[in-house]
Amino acid sequence: MINRLVEKIKKTGAPIVVGLDPMLKYIPQYIRQTAYAEYGETLAGAGEAIWQYNKGIVDAICDLVPAVKPQIAMYEQFGLEGMQAFQKTVDYCHEKGLVVIGDVKRGDIGSTSEAYAAGHLGKVMVGSKVCRGFNEDFATVNPYLGSDGVKPFIKVCQEEKKGIFILVKTSNPSSGEFQDRFLQEDGKPLYEAVGRQVAKWSEECMGDTYSYVGAVVGATYPEQGKILRSIMPKSFILVPGYGAQGGKGADLVHFFNKDGLGAIVNSSRGIIAAYQQEKYAAFGERGYADASRAAVIDMREDIAQALK
Amino acid sequence: MINRLVEKIKKTGAPIVVGLDPMLKYIPQYIRQTAYAEYGETLAGAGEAIWQYNKGIVDAICDLVPAVKPQIAMYEQFGLEGMQAFQKTVDYCHEKGLVVIGDVKRGDIGSTSEAYAAGHLGKVMVGSKVCRGFNEDFATVNPYLGSDGVKPFIKVCQEEKKGIFILVKTSNPSSGEFQDRFLQEDGKPLYEAVGRQVAKWSEECMGDTYSYVGAVVGATYPEQGKILRSIMPKSFILVPGYGAQGGKGADLVHFFNKDGLGAIVNSSRGIIAAYQQEKYAAFGERGYADASRAAVIDMREDIAQALK
């Protein structure tokens, strides 16, 4: 799947992943009204609104980008009905040929991580039958529990040729609270130790040029990105924090390798709710999907300029 | 909810939480066969088997213990149908008067943690209506993203009088890989820094004697438990790792305060699959729920002896 991701990035010229992180306030009123008219102001109504909204965006951007990244929390908040919208979205993106990165940030003790890995990337046996749960192509993984918590994901990646991105240095303002603590052993921050471990894990699961084991490093920390890029040469970096969170095109150059690859940049709000920005306001509510398309094209250009 | 948990622990004399972490191999064959006969060897069949199995255990133990802890990964692996079994289990445990700790280990950047907190502990607005998702009473939270990732949970705890347990020192063999790294600032391990931060957070959200903000510390690390008990005096400690993972009654004494409170010990496999152990084999498959009940009574006695 990492080979497929690399190939699709080359083909589209867009090292971009669109974050499908729907909030009800982003969804045009006409979509919400139609959904509520059919299902009521209920969790099912919210799920339907999210699904219709996502579908419009996916149709508008699927030829431009290699991948999407649904943030499962935005679905999980609506309970089972939200999870249904998540599943429909994952399946629809697959139909449209997109690589799906499940932003699930799971991670637990060994036997439990096995279950998460099976549910999101792998398969389960029910009696004599093989069944698949959510079936994304990549998942994000939290490293706090150490190798026990990560290896079950790597095992499934090896079996299924799927991938993971491990949280190393996250994009949020307080990410440094624990991740930046300097370690006694070498005077370097914790995130570097996590990065070195990701580099080791990445060797266990190589695609043609990059590993199935990648990392998450926020666009909001470009200097740290530069160091982590060199620590984890074989890992793709999933870069959140571009756009709405403050990361700029010029900040991104450090996250890429000299081959122009090695990073994929996420934008969520900046694309899916583009029509709510002044810049794209002319599209109007009914043109929300076209506004998303325009925002992707602008982002592609912004990154291309930065990488020149 | 922390007050209610304390009250129920006093009433039952059992600082015990039963981990409802079903695996198909634990489920008696007759339950699986009935479920597969109705729904096929499908995710729905697995979900039905899990739900029927859980129901039997909950009926058998609900008067003995204050709380249950379903591990969501064990449901999530069966996709939407597994999540349905999770929801049914949570709702049924509430009907039976049990406190439900959702072992979800969620945690993300601020806006995303808000969504997780809403979905598991709080509410969402859909149009003009208030809706609730999974609606557990407590959730477990991963601290790797720092305060941004934790505070949205604390806010919901304040509003809803619910609680969280933050991962500090987990029970698994490799938990030390990052959690035990010594910090340059004070020569102490990372988990102590996390514990000190939990102590700060716990003050923002106090019940009568204990905080709504608790911690997870594994029974498998009793010496670390002793230190963390003193660092976080107001936090309840959720203690996994007893029984199947190797933690013994005698190890538990350090996790409790002098008031005999302050900790709640989890056992999953050791209780829900008790009938598969030699000790409880006489109950047989059909007596699996009674075997669970016997195992709870033995565990209560083991802990009482240790705390004498």
Side-chain angles (χ1 to χ4, degrees):
Chain A
M1 197 53 73
I2 188 70
N3 296 343
R4 190 158 158 250
L5 183 64
V6 168
E7 188 190 296
K8 282 181 73 75
I9 289 173
K10 285 181 182 167
K11 199 173 148 197
T12 56
I16 291 175
V17 50
V18 174
L20 296 174
D21 309 353
M23 295 179 78
L24 290 180
K25 66 184 178 190
Y26 300 160
I27 301 180
Q29 213 184 350
Y30 76 93
I31 293 178
R32 276 182 281 148
Q33 277 173 345
T34 309
Y36 299 165
E38 193 171 358
Y39 295 93
E41 291 179 337
T42 60
L43 295 174
E48 172 67 10
I50 287 171
W51 156 239
Q52 293 298 341
Y53 170 67
N54 280 353
K55 192 167 172 296
I57 293 168
V58 171
D59 286 340
I61 55 101
C62 62
D63 62 320
L64 292 180
V65 297
V68 291
K69 181 175 76 63
Q71 166 52 261
I72 201 168
M74 296 304 171
Y75 304 81
E76 211 168 311
Q77 68 180 324
F78 298 107
L80 287 175
E81 288 82 357
M83 297 298 271
Q84 263 165 10
F86 179 80
Q87 183 72 74
K88 278 186 187 173
T89 300
V90 171
D91 293 345
Y92 190 68
C93 292
H94 279 151
E95 272 177 45
K96 291 283 168 177
L98 290 159
V99 172
V100 179
I101 302 171
D103 197 353
V104 300
K105 295 191 177 66
R106 302 304 195 243
D108 207 299
I109 66 167
S111 54
T112 307
S113 272
E114 269 177 41
Y116 279 131
H120 287 282
L121 301 176
K123 52 186 180 290
V124 286
M125 290 299 295
V126 181
S128 59
K129 298 276 168 38
V130 172
C131 300
R132 288 183 183 273
F134 294 106
N135 202 26
E136 302 102 298
D137 302 309
F138 285 83
T140 53
V141 172
N142 186 306
Y144 191 67
L145 286 91
S147 289
D148 296 347
V150 174
K151 291 228 167 166
F153 285 94
I154 296 178
K155 186 162 174 279
V156 170
C157 289
Q158 288 165 335
E159 290 164 5
E160 304 278 338
K161 307 282 177 207
K162 291 193 171 182
I164 53 174
F165 294 98
I166 297 170
L167 306 188
V168 176
K169 171 68 183 165
T170 56
S171 61
N172 56 316
S174 74
S175 73
E177 202 166 301
F178 301 120
Q179 297 164 26
D180 287 6
R181 300 264 179 149
F182 293 107
L183 301 183
Q184 199 175 49
E185 62 201 45
D186 58 4
K188 294 192 169 154
L190 175 64
Y191 64 78
E192 288 193 27
V194 178
R196 287 193 299 273
Q197 188 60 49
V198 167
K200 278 188 206 160
W201 287 323
S202 71
E203 286 166 15
E204 294 175 27
C205 199
M206 282 297 296
D208 290 343
T209 49
Y210 283 95
S211 173
Y212 288 83
V213 177
V216 175
V217 184
T220 41
Y221 298 103
E223 288 307 312
Q224 292 87 333
K226 196 172 175 176
I227 294 164
L228 288 165
R229 178 65 290 166
S230 71
I231 290 177
M232 311 176 295
K234 300 290 186 196
S235 290
F236 241 75
I237 301 180
L238 171 63
V239 187
Y242 173 89
Q245 283 183 59
K248 293 180 184 25
D251 297 332
L252 297 174
V253 61
H254 305 311
F255 295 87
F256 288 83
N257 278 321
K258 283 181 184 153
D259 57 4
L261 291 166
I264 184 159
V265 183
N266 180 75
S267 178
S268 302
R269 249 174 300 179
I271 289 173
I272 67 171
Y275 78 101
Q276 294 183 341
Q277 295 172 42
E278 212 180 305
K279 185 175 178 186
Y280 305 104
F283 286 96
E285 268 207 344
R286 299 260 168 189
Y288 80 98
D290 292 330
S292 297
R293 185 174 175 87
V296 168
I297 292 168
D298 289 347
M299 181 176 172
R300 185 178 62 186
E301 183 58 22
D302 186 36
I303 294 175
Q305 284 298 326
L307 295 186
K308 251 184 196 163
Chain B
M1 197 52 73
I2 188 69
N3 296 343
R4 189 156 157 253
L5 183 63
V6 168
E7 188 189 294
K8 282 180 73 77
I9 289 174
K10 285 181 182 168
K11 200 173 146 197
T12 56
I16 293 174
V17 51
V18 173
L20 296 174
D21 308 355
M23 295 179 79
L24 290 180
K25 65 183 177 189
Y26 300 160
I27 301 181
Q29 212 184 351
Y30 75 94
I31 293 178
R32 277 182 281 148
Q33 277 174 345
T34 308
Y36 299 165
E38 192 171 0
Y39 295 94
E41 291 179 339
T42 60
L43 296 174
E48 173 67 10
I50 288 171
W51 156 239
Q52 293 298 340
Y53 170 65
N54 280 353
K55 192 166 171 298
I57 293 167
V58 171
D59 286 340
I61 55 101
C62 62
D63 61 320
L64 292 179
V65 297
V68 291
K69 181 175 75 63
Q71 165 53 261
I72 201 168
M74 296 304 170
Y75 304 82
E76 213 167 310
Q77 69 180 324
F78 299 106
L80 287 175
E81 288 82 358
M83 297 299 270
Q84 265 166 9
F86 179 80
Q87 183 72 75
K88 277 186 188 173
T89 301
V90 170
D91 293 346
Y92 189 69
C93 291
H94 279 149
E95 272 177 43
K96 291 284 169 177
L98 290 160
V99 171
V100 179
I101 302 170
D103 197 353
V104 299
K105 295 191 178 63
R106 303 304 197 240
D108 207 299
I109 67 167
S111 54
T112 307
S113 272
E114 268 176 42
Y116 278 131
H120 287 282
L121 301 175
K123 52 187 178 293
V124 287
M125 290 299 296
V126 181
S128 60
K129 299 274 166 41
V130 173
C131 300
R132 287 181 183 275
F134 294 107
N135 202 26
E136 302 101 298
D137 302 309
F138 286 83
T140 53
V141 172
N142 187 305
Y144 190 68
L145 286 91
S147 290
D148 297 347
V150 173
K151 291 227 168 167
F153 285 95
I154 296 179
K155 187 162 172 280
V156 170
C157 289
Q158 288 165 336
E159 288 164 6
E160 303 279 338
K161 306 284 178 206
K162 292 190 170 183
I164 53 174
F165 293 98
I166 298 169
L167 305 188
V168 176
K169 171 69 182 166
T170 55
S171 61
N172 55 317
S174 74
S175 72
E177 202 166 302
F178 301 119
Q179 297 164 26
D180 288 5
R181 300 265 178 148
F182 293 106
L183 301 183
Q184 198 175 50
E185 62 200 45
D186 58 4
K188 294 189 170 156
L190 175 64
Y191 65 76
E192 288 194 27
V194 178
R196 287 193 300 274
Q197 188 59 51
V198 168
K200 279 187 204 158
W201 287 323
S202 71
E203 285 166 17
E204 294 175 26
C205 199
M206 282 297 297
D208 291 342
T209 48
Y210 282 94
S211 173
Y212 287 83
V213 177
V216 175
V217 184
T220 40
Y221 299 103
E223 289 307 313
Q224 292 87 332
K226 195 172 175 177
I227 294 163
L228 288 164
R229 178 67 288 169
S230 71
I231 290 176
M232 313 175 294
K234 299 292 185 192
S235 290
F236 241 76
I237 300 180
L238 171 63
V239 188
Y242 173 90
Q245 284 185 56
K248 293 181 183 29
D251 297 330
L252 297 173
V253 60
H254 305 311
F255 296 87
F256 287 84
N257 277 321
K258 283 182 184 155
D259 58 3
L261 291 166
I264 184 159
V265 183
N266 180 76
S267 178
S268 302
R269 247 174 301 181
I271 290 173
I272 67 172
Y275 78 100
Q276 294 183 340
Q277 295 172 42
E278 212 181 306
K279 185 175 176 186
Y280 304 105
F283 285 96
E285 267 207 346
R286 299 259 167 189
Y288 80 98
D290 293 330
S292 297
R293 185 175 176 87
V296 168
I297 292 169
D298 288 346
M299 180 176 173
R300 185 177 64 187
E301 182 59 21
D302 186 37
I303 295 175
Q305 284 299 326
L307 295 185
K308 252 184 195 164

